[in-house]
């Protein structure tokens, strides 16, 4: 079916890059594909949901002068020798890459390189081994209070593995970052919801666009909410997907109505093959101001933030800005961020981003 909505030559070129340059293969869930088909039928292949999971010509061809494979340098924050699934940047919490499998592959994924490299899968053996290693590390690092399940999508590991993981780690606060709610909402069965409730999990949804929240997704979110599970949101600011304050405000309003607490909107990392998703920093600041100055605090309390190798930084952490190079500082450490080259960032028209409304 995907063949119908992607140019054959472009697909071949992309598949070649998957092999040569470790990009993630195209993967789209049936649930999400139906939404893309509706979008394509109405506005063609320029829409926000299409661009989220299908490679475009710009994804392959647009480059900016400074890009890197792994801007946040996760490899430098792996405290256990030869273990690439425990990432620790903070004193009291760590990230646990419980799986490298996702329900669909996001074209802008900042972990593209690492995910395509690991591909260890979701077997019980892999999960048990990973948890044993993690528990040994936690035993010797008692200051860690929270384990953040990330991936991949932690909810792709299935009920049995998830139950095992949550039971094994019940002494720690567990946070799960997931995009399953919009790619495969059917996985939120009553059984999974009860399990998440039983272990008092915090669920952090990654939802980028208002049209990802259809009625079916809303129904699931309401069930999760009714069960008393704490829900939050975190998502990236992406050109062609949500690069307009009106889209962000609409999304935050919808999520607020569904009792999802907003945490952060991420400024995308300057990674390879991401130039078509990035915004110039000047435009990022303009969007932040538009959101801040036109909304009540339950919307504008959302932080615009960027993950770096020294931890999360925000606009107020900028200490130097010379040409394309912006320096951020925190905890007496500095990190450089390289802005997009001039002329790359063309704002997406609101009538494309919110094509269902009358703009
Ligand atoms: S679901 Fe998350 S980990 Fe998986 S491809 Fe998308 S952004 Fe990357």
């Amino acid at each position: 079916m995907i063949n119908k909505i992607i140019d054959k030559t472009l697909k071949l070129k992309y598949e070649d890059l998957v092999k040569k340059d470790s990009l993630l293969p195209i993967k789209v869930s049936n649930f999400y594909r139906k939404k893309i088909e509706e979008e394509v039928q109405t506005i063609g292949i320029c829409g926000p949901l299409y661009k989220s999971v299908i490679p475009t010509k710009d994804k392959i061809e647009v480059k900016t002068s400074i890009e890197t494979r792994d801007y946040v340098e996760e490899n430098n924050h792996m405290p256990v020798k030869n273990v690439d699934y425990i990432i620790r940047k903070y004193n009291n919490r760590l990230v646990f890459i419980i799986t490298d499998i996702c329900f669909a592959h996001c074209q802008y994924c900042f972990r593209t390189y690492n995910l395509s490299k690991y591909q260890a899968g979701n077997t019980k053996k892999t999960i048990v081994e990973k948890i044993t290693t993690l528990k040994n590390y936690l035993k010797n690092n008692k200051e860690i209070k929270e384990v953040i399940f990330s991936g991949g999508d932690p909810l792709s590991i299935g009920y049995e593995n998830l139950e095992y993981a949550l039971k094994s780690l019940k002494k720690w606060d567990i946070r799960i970052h997931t995009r399953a709610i919009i790619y495969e909402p059917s996985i939120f069965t009553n059984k999974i919801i009860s399990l998440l409730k039983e272990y008092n999990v915090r669920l952090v949804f990654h939802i980028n666009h208002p049209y990802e929240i259809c009625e079916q997704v809303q129904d699931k979110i309401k069930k999760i909410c009714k069960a008393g599970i704490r829900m939050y949101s975190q998502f990236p600011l992406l050109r062609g997907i949500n690069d307009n304050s009106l889209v962000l405000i609409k999304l935050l309003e919808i999520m607020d109505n569904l009792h999802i607490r907003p945490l952060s909107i991420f400024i995308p990392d300057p990674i390879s093959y991401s130039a078509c998703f990035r915004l110039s920093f000047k435009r990022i600041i303009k969007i932040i101001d538009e959101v801040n100055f036109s909304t009540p605090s339950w919307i504008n309390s959302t932080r615009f933030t960027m993950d770096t190798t020294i931890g999360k930084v925000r606009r107020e952490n900028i200490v130097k800005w010379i040409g394309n190079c912006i320096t951020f500082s925190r905890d007496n450490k500095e990190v450089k961020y390289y802005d997009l080259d001039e002329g790359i960032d063309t704002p997406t028209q609101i009538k494309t981003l919110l094509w269902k409304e009358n703009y």
Side-chain angles (χ1 to χ4, degrees), residues 24 102 104-106 108-111 115 151-153 179 183 206:
L24 286 170
C102 304
H105 288 154
C106 312
Y108 53 83
C109 178
F110 82 99
R111 256 192 208 129
L115 288 185
D153 198 312
R179 197 155 155 70
Y183 281 149
H206 166 177

Side-chain angles (χ1 to χ4, degrees), residues 105-319:
H105 288 154
C106 312
Q107 283 293 321
Y108 53 83
C109 178
F110 82 99
R111 256 192 208 129
T112 290
Y113 187 49
N114 283 340
L115 288 185
S116 60
K117 194 176 60 178
Y118 301 152
Q119 291 300 313
N122 276 338
T123 62
K124 175 88 183 178
K125 186 172 170 278
T126 316
I127 303 282
V128 171
E129 272 170 21
K130 283 184 173 185
I131 287 174
T132 308
T133 308
L134 174 67
K135 281 185 81 175
N136 282 337
Y137 180 73
L138 290 170
K139 207 165 63 189
N140 297 318
N141 291 275
K142 300 228 180 303
E143 65 285 4
I144 296 172
K145 304 286 176 232
E146 185 183 27
V147 175
I148 304 166
F149 286 20
S150 189
D153 198 312
L155 294 180
S156 71
I157 65 174
Y159 181 87
E160 248 186 62
N161 284 332
L162 187 63
E163 187 185 36
Y164 174 79
L166 294 177
K167 208 180 213 171
S168 310
L169 296 165
K170 64 175 183 235
K171 279 200 220 143
W172 290 268
D173 276 356
I174 301 293
R175 194 196 319 173
I176 293 182
H177 284 244
T178 177
R179 197 155 155 70
I181 193 71
I182 58 96
Y183 281 149
E184 204 59 81
S186 62
I187 69 112
F188 287 93
T189 56
N190 291 343
K191 225 172 139 190
I192 287 270
I193 294 175
S194 306
L195 183 68
L196 298 172
K197 174 63 191 160
E198 185 184 340
Y199 289 95
N200 204 17
V201 163
R202 289 188 175 88
L203 265 189
V204 182
F205 294 133
H206 166 177
I207 306 173
N208 300 327
H209 191 281
Y211 299 166
E212 289 182 334
I213 309 178
C214 60
E215 241 174 74
Q216 264 168 284
V217 171
Q218 286 203 24
D219 287 348
K220 283 292 179 190
I221 295 174
K222 284 178 189 164
K223 273 194 179 162
I224 297 166
C225 179
K226 206 170 164 200
I229 295 167
R230 291 165 291 182
M231 302 180 294
Y232 305 84
S233 92
Q234 251 184 215
F235 62 93
L237 173 63
L238 298 163
R239 183 151 55 90
I241 295 176
N242 57 21
D243 59 318
N244 187 300
S245 55
L246 295 176
V247 181
L248 301 177
I249 293 167
K250 189 176 173 69
L251 175 60
L252 292 167
E253 280 175 352
I254 293 172
M255 291 199 287
D256 182 74
N257 282 333
L258 292 165
H259 303 278
I260 301 173
R261 279 173 60 186
L263 300 178
S264 312
I265 299 178
F266 279 97
I267 295 161
D269 296 342
I271 52 165
S272 317
Y273 296 99
S274 74
C276 75
F277 291 108
R278 291 175 58 202
L279 289 72
S280 70
F281 217 88
K282 272 194 186 138
R283 196 154 74 88
I284 291 171
I285 288 181
K286 185 173 170 279
I287 290 177
I288 296 175
D289 285 343
E290 283 170 5
V291 173
N292 275 348
F293 301 150
S294 66
T295 59
S297 51
W298 45 268
I299 287 189
N300 67 34
S301 55
T302 318
R303 305 167 312 172
F304 284 81
T305 187
M306 187 167 68
D307 202 8
T308 73
T309 189
I310 59 168
K312 308 264 186 325
V313 295
R314 301 190 210 166
R315 164 198 192 171
E316 49 273 32
N317 301 118
I318 295 177
V319 288

